[in-house]
Amino acid sequence: MEPVLEPDVECDGDAEISVGDPVLGKSRLLSRQCDTCIFAPGNRMRLAPGRLRSLVTEARRREAFIVCHQTLPHYGQPEVKPAICRGFADRYRTQSLQLIERLFGFVEVDPPQSAEARPAAGG
């Protein structure tokens, strides 16, 4: 099942978005919400009205999950691998999440530093 990308993500068509860790045979799940989680109070991602509801509705319709935006390839941290949004996983038990948990399990990974918290390049 294809994950839902948040919030309005356009990725290179050749970029594979997989939360699977091929070495461990488990799926990556954030150990906690990222600094700008779409489920955090205060609309830290400045989503348009109704956008969060739309993302959740689509993920639940697909029986899938949402991938954290800070773990996507376009975010500028090539060492970070895609991971399931902790905010979504803590709130919803879709068929995909249940199957992953029962068949393979999760490996929890810490969220990457937000762009604001990362040191400036060259400094």
Side-chain angles (χ1 to χ4, degrees):
M1 296 183 186
E2 288 292 314
V4 174
L5 304 179
E6 56 135 299
D8 286 313
V9 175
E10 295 292 329
C11 286
D12 181 355
D14 296 331
E16 180 180 335
I17 305 299
S18 172
V19 297
D21 184 307
V23 175
L24 298 176
K26 298 178 182 288
S27 292
R28 288 180 292 274
L29 169 65
L30 289 185
S31 60
R32 62 185 183 280
Q33 290 183 354
C34 72
D35 293 340
T36 55
C37 185
I38 60 175
F39 292 95
N43 193 13
R44 296 178 187 176
M45 285 295 299
R46 297 181 194 96
L47 297 178
R51 182 63 179 140
L52 177 58
R53 182 183 313 254
S54 173
L55 288 166
V56 169
T57 299
E58 181 64 14
R60 293 181 74 197
R61 183 188 67 75
R62 292 185 192 184
E63 289 292 336
F65 49 84
I66 293 175
V67 175
C68 174
H69 62 281
Q70 286 192 10
T71 67
L72 292 170
H74 81 284
Y75 210 72
Q77 298 183 74
E79 71 282 0
V80 174
K81 302 298 180 210
I84 297 167
C85 170
R86 188 62 189 225
F88 182 84
D90 285 349
R91 288 165 177 79
Y92 303 99
R93 303 300 303 158
T94 61
Q95 185 176 42
S96 291
L97 291 175
Q98 291 177 49
L99 286 172
I100 291 168
E101 184 173 43
R102 290 181 184 148
L103 296 176
F104 310 107
F106 295 104
V107 58
E108 290 192 2
V109 296
D110 290 336
Q113 286 185 329
S114 65
E116 297 80 29
R118 285 194 307 258

